[in-house]
């Protein structure tokens, strides 16, 4: 068994399964792959990350495809700029890498809604990841736009794409074999000719429900290598063994510790996979960032608690979120290089050397940038016309909105005195105001009621609801956002609501217009902003001092959330987003405090996390 030594060329080639081997142009091969999602890395940085992947000793790059980004509205497609998947695959080929594509339609990936477009949920009858005709029609339309772009890049056409995946970890979700067969047929119908495979956790129920008899099965795991490969072999007596997701790290939820994985332990398990002759895809070799509102969420399978994921997808990967080389990279490289040299020696070939690392990007460092208060949130709303007026509060999806915030307003006449405000469900976090005064919070995991002192007569009740990321894994994928169901004062259901959709795809005009410090009122959302000069753009991390929760933009680009609950303490700011000369940092602070200063530090390196937990013991017990 050998790893592919020949780089992809423009000549048609063959890649197939033969017995227990992958075979490339008639020769048995071992795939050494790394996961890197093009949509989590700016295109100006693709080459740097791919060269580092190759310097680790890998010969293949694997990526998911994010349907929600490519089809933001039904029938409207984007494959340009940072979504130019064709350019990413062609770049990988020029750099001498093979490619594995996992087009979904569902990808999980700790990504918003697992990559499914939120507009699917505007249909109250929608059923996901099954043979529901409207869902299948939407998937087929997406495949019809995507797959013809990839068809010329398959190995059979002289491209670098070796294989594609059918769905993703379906054994962790459903049982509709007709749906899996339909997905396979749709891929073929739209021009896919390369090897198809499925990937699931190595358990009996996952491998039973997530695969089809004639498709190659691969396994996803991070530890217990011998037993996990044995379980995969039990369900697939013949065929090459491959760990399609070797979890060398883990992801973080807001309010939980930062997750790490000991590098030596990860390298040891990787060595076990290679020694077994199995192929591997390191998940992740470089995680990148879920910029803007693109983070996903989980629900605890035991308690049902909602667990939003942070924007950083560092994953404690060998290449950190900013692309820097970690001790885990060095440990894994030593294991891979030793394996490649042992293979070469067994065949009587010279010992191979790995390509050098590209030069590191420059760094930007500046401390104590004072942010000035700008337009208050409620002022920005004054000139807005309601998106919809309806008897009952409607979900974000019913308003034709995908991400961001939804503002609900109801004018209510109610007797003066104590009263309880309650909601049937809120997804995910609502700031509550009465006559423009903050009176409390309602959160998905907390009590869904709030004691108020009603002013009497007619008053205005307003709720600012934040979508903190749709669920991306498990049985609760139907994760609609906003106010879901009734809202009551005491026993009275409140009716006639004004709705304002606030996706914040672009900043309001007043978000950078400076106001007096006295304009800041405690608990009332407000924009803050500051200009600063840059001599040479460089990578850095933005850390806010002061403030509680909100969003951060650099030159109009949404970096993601800040939230004092951690564990993410700073947001990655890639060098391509900075420009020489004047730059603008803008913050929406949801819960400012009057008189409190807000400032930002640009840190050349990631500030150290607080509480940290090692995932190695958990991975050893998973399943």
């Amino acid at each position: 068994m050998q790893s592919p030594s020949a780089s992809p060329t423009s000549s048609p080639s063959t890649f197939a399964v033969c017995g227990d081997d992958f075979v490339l142009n008639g020769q048995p091969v071992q795939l050494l792959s790394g996961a890197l999602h093009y949509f989590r890395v700016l295109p100006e940085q693709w080459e740097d990350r791919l060269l580092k992947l190759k310097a680790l000793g890998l010969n293949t790059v694997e990526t998911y495809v994010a349907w929600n980004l490519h089809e933001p509205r039904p029938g409207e497609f984007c494959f340009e700029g940072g979504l130019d998947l064709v350019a990413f695959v062609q770049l990988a080929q020029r750099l001498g890498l093979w490619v594995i594509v996992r087009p979904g339609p569902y990808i999980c990936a700790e990504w918003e809604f697992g990559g499914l477009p939120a507009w699917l949920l505007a249909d109250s009858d929608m059923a996901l990841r099954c043979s529901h005709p409207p869902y299948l029609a939407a998937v087929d339309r997406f495949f019809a736009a995507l797959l013809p772009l990839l068809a010329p890049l398959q190995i059979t056409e002289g491209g670098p794409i070796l294989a594609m995946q059918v769905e993703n970890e379906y054994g962790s979700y459903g049982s509709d074999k007709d749906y899996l067969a339909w997905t396979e047929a749709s891929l073929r119908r739209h021009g896919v000719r390369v090897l198809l495979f499925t990937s699931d956790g190595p358990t009996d129920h996952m491998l039973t429900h997530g695969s089809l008899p004639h498709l190659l099965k691969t396994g996803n795991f991070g530890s217990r290598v011998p037993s996990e490969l044995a379980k995969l072999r039990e369900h697939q007596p013949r065929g090459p063994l491959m760990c399609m997701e070797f979890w060398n790290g883990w992801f973080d939820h807001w309010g939980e510790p930062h997750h790490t994985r000991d590098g030596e332990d990860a390298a040891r398990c990787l060595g076990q996979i290679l020694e077994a002759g199995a192929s591997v895809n390191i998940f992740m070799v470089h995680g990148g960032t879920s910029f803007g509102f693109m983070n996903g969420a989980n629900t605890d399978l035991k308690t049902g608690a909602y667990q939003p994921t942070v924007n950083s997808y560092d994953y404690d990967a060998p290449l950190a979120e900013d692309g820097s080389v970690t001790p885990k990279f060095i440990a894994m490289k030593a294991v891979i290089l030793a394996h490649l040299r042992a293979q070469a020696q067994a065949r009587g070939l010279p010992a191979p050397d790995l390509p050098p690392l590209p030069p590191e990007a420059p760094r930007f460092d500046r401390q104590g940038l004072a942010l000035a208060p700008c337009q208050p949130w409620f002022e920005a709303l004054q000139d807005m016309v309601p998106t919809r007026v309806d008897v009952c509060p409607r979900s974000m999806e019913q308003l034709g909105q995908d991400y961001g915030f939804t503002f609900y307003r109801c004018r209510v006449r109610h007797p003066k005195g104590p009263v309880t405000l309650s909601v049937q469900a809120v997804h995910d976090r609502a700031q509550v105001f009465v006559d423009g005064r903050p009176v409390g919070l309602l959160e998905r995991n907390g009590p869904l009621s709030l004691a108020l002192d009603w002013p009497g007569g007619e008053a205005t009740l307003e709720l600012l609801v934040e979508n903190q990321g749709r669920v991306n894994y498990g049985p609760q994928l139907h994760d609609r956002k906003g106010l879901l169901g009734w809202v009551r004062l005491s026993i009275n259901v409140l009716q006639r609501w004004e709705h304002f959709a606030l996706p914040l795809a672009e900043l309001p005009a007043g978000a950078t217009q400076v106001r007096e410090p006295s304009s800041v009122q405690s608990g009332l959302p407000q924009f803050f902003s500051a200009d600063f000069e840059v001599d040479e753009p460089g990578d850095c991390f933005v850390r806010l001092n002061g403030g509680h929760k909100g969003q951060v933009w650099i030159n109009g680009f949404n970096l993601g959330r800040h939230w004092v609950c951690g564990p993410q303490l700073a947001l990655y700011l890639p060098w391509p987003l900075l420009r020489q000369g004047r730059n603008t940092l803008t913050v929406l602070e949801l819960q400012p405090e009057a008189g409190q200063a807000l400032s930002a530090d640009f840190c050349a390196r990631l500030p150290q996390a607080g509480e940290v937990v090692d995932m190695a013991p958990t991975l050893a017990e998973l399943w």
Side-chain angles (χ1 to χ4, degrees):
M1 177 87 57
Q2 60 180 333
S3 59
S5 56
S7 298
T9 68
S10 59
S11 301
S13 303
T14 61
F15 179 78
V17 168
C18 182
D20 291 339
D21 296 324
F22 289 120
V23 174
L24 176 64
N25 291 332
Q27 296 297 314
V29 296
Q30 185 178 26
L31 298 184
L32 306 180
S33 176
L36 192 164
H37 303 151
Y38 62 96
F39 48 87
R40 280 184 159 125
V41 180
L42 298 186
E44 296 91 338
Q45 298 172 301
W46 286 347
E47 182 169 349
D48 173 82
R49 305 309 193 255
L50 290 171
L51 287 172
K52 289 174 178 174
L53 181 152
K54 194 172 180 181
L56 182 58
L58 305 182
N59 52 49
T60 305
V61 61
E62 175 272 315
T63 185
Y64 282 127
V65 179
W67 179 10
N68 60 344
L69 296 184
H70 289 294
E71 192 179 4
R73 301 257 63 84
E76 298 178 8
F77 297 98
C78 179
F79 295 98
E80 300 173 350
L83 298 179
D84 192 343
L85 177 55
V86 168
F88 178 81
V89 173
Q90 290 174 331
L91 175 61
Q93 182 173 21
R94 288 198 300 273
L95 297 178
L97 291 164
W98 303 99
V99 178
I100 296 172
V101 176
R102 300 207 272 171
Y106 163 82
I107 62 172
C108 184
E110 289 70 58
W111 188 255
E112 223 278 344
F113 200 16
L116 300 176
W119 46 258
L120 287 170
L121 296 178
D123 179 355
S124 60
D125 295 326
M126 179 57 66
L128 304 170
R129 302 181 71 190
C130 66
S131 299
H132 182 55
Y135 175 72
L136 297 183
V139 173
D140 201 59
R141 182 179 63 219
F142 170 55
F143 279 177
L146 168 71
L147 297 174
L149 300 177
L150 298 179
L153 300 172
Q154 298 175 99
I155 189 172
T156 53
E157 306 299 320
I161 298 176
L162 298 174
M164 293 195 199
Q165 181 174 281
V166 177
E167 240 273 352
N168 182 57
E169 293 187 318
Y170 191 67
S172 302
Y173 178 80
S175 61
D176 187 348
K177 297 287 187 162
D178 289 341
Y179 165 60
L180 287 181
W182 179 92
T183 304
E184 177 194 7
S186 182
L187 291 168
R188 294 298 192 202
R189 186 167 59 252
H190 293 299
V192 175
R193 299 291 176 261
V194 294
L195 176 71
L196 294 178
F197 65 92
T198 59
S199 65
D200 289 283
T203 71
D204 291 323
H205 78 271
M206 291 179 182
L207 289 168
T208 296
H209 289 292
S211 61
L212 294 172
H214 59 282
L215 292 181
L216 177 71
K217 300 175 180 66
T218 65
N220 300 342
F221 52 88
S223 190
R224 301 185 306 187
V225 173
S227 62
E228 306 295 52
L229 291 177
K231 177 59 68 175
L232 184 58
R233 177 58 76 208
E234 179 184 329
H235 282 259
Q236 185 166 260
R238 295 301 305 274
L241 293 172
M242 181 165 187
C243 178
M244 186 53 67
E245 292 185 14
F246 171 61
W247 302 321
N248 67 95
W250 209 245
F251 53 89
D252 291 339
H253 294 133
W254 286 110
E256 297 180 3
H258 172 54
H259 294 85
T260 63
R261 169 111 188 252
D262 179 73
E264 294 297 330
D265 177 70
R268 177 184 60 83
C269 291
L270 174 62
Q272 290 178 323
I273 295 174
L274 301 181
E275 290 165 11
S279 292
V280 66
N281 179 47
I282 298 172
F283 192 97
M284 301 288 297
V285 73
H286 173 58
T289 310
S290 305
F291 291 111
F293 298 117
M294 286 298 109
N295 66 282
N298 293 96
T299 51
D300 188 282
L301 296 180
K302 294 181 179 178
T303 67
Y306 174 71
Q307 302 165 307
T309 306
V310 302
N311 286 94
S312 171
Y313 202 58
D314 174 85
Y315 211 85
D316 196 36
L319 292 173
E321 184 179 10
D322 61 353
S324 58
V325 170
T326 69
K328 184 178 291 182
F329 182 99
I330 296 170
M332 285 187 167
K333 181 174 181 177
V335 168
I336 293 170
L337 184 57
H339 175 71
L340 294 176
R341 287 177 173 172
Q343 284 187 324
Q345 184 178 23
R347 299 196 304 270
L349 299 174
D353 289 320
L354 298 181
L357 288 164
E360 289 290 331
R363 297 281 164 169
F364 178 71
D365 193 295
R366 172 174 175 168
Q367 306 298 306
L369 176 68
L371 294 164
C374 295
Q375 188 175 41
W377 180 271
F378 281 95
E379 183 179 313
L381 282 171
Q382 286 179 1
D383 296 329
M384 291 185 62
V385 176
T387 305
R388 179 170 175 173
V389 179
D390 210 327
V391 174
C392 302
R394 299 301 179 182
S395 72
M396 181 178 285
E397 295 78 14
Q398 289 174 311
L399 300 176
Q401 183 184 356
D402 297 333
Y403 316 113
F405 300 79
T406 305
F407 191 73
Y408 297 82
R409 177 182 291 155
C410 184
R411 293 177 173 85
V412 184
R413 184 172 295 277
H414 193 84
K416 178 180 175 62
V419 66
T420 299
L421 170 71
S422 56
V423 299
Q424 187 172 354
V426 59
H427 285 193
D428 301 299
R429 183 180 189 268
Q431 293 175 245
V432 184
F433 308 90
V434 174
D435 285 341
R437 179 174 58 89
V439 294
L441 292 171
L442 295 170
E443 296 185 88
R444 182 168 175 170
N445 287 340
L448 296 179
S449 61
L450 186 65
L452 302 179
D453 186 13
W454 197 256
E458 184 175 272
T460 300
L461 174 69
E462 294 165 319
L463 295 93
L464 177 61
V465 181
E466 179 184 5
N467 167 6
Q468 295 186 128
R470 288 182 182 82
V471 170
N472 57 254
Y473 179 83
Q476 298 188 45
L477 278 183
H478 285 72
D479 189 17
R480 294 179 174 88
K481 297 300 185 181
L483 292 178
L484 308 180
W486 47 257
V487 179
R488 298 196 320 234
L489 273 182
S490 184
I491 63 171
N492 298 102
V493 176
L494 301 184
Q495 289 151 339
R496 188 165 177 78
W497 289 86
E498 295 178 354
H499 303 75
F500 297 83
L502 304 167
L504 292 182
E506 296 181 0
L507 285 169
T512 58
Q513 296 175 0
V514 175
R515 304 296 177 89
E516 294 296 323
S518 59
S519 67
V520 181
Q521 300 182 52
S522 294
L524 295 182
Q526 186 157 354
F527 289 97
F528 292 76
S529 189
D531 292 339
F532 61 100
E533 296 291 323
V534 172
D535 293 330
E536 181 186 14
D539 276 352
C540 61
F541 292 84
V542 180
R543 179 175 58 191
L544 293 182
N545 306 305
H548 180 78
K549 190 179 193 299
Q551 294 289 138
V552 180
W553 289 262
I554 184 73
N555 296 326
F557 182 95
N558 191 340
L559 291 177
R561 290 178 172 86
H562 80 91
W563 198 356
V564 293
C565 72
Q568 184 170 358
L569 304 177
L571 292 164
Y572 176 47
L573 198 174
W575 66 263
L577 296 178
L578 290 173
R579 50 193 179 222
Q580 192 172 26
R582 178 170 295 184
N583 294 261
T584 303
L585 181 72
T586 306
V587 175
L588 169 61
E589 172 53 49
L590 294 171
Q591 294 175 260
E593 296 181 21
Q596 182 185 41
L598 191 63
S599 66
D601 295 332
F602 297 88
C603 307
R605 301 290 176 182
L606 178 66
Q608 185 63 39
E611 187 180 359
V612 175
V613 60
D614 183 5
M615 276 297 295
T618 303
L619 289 172
E621 298 174 359
L622 209 57
W623 317 128

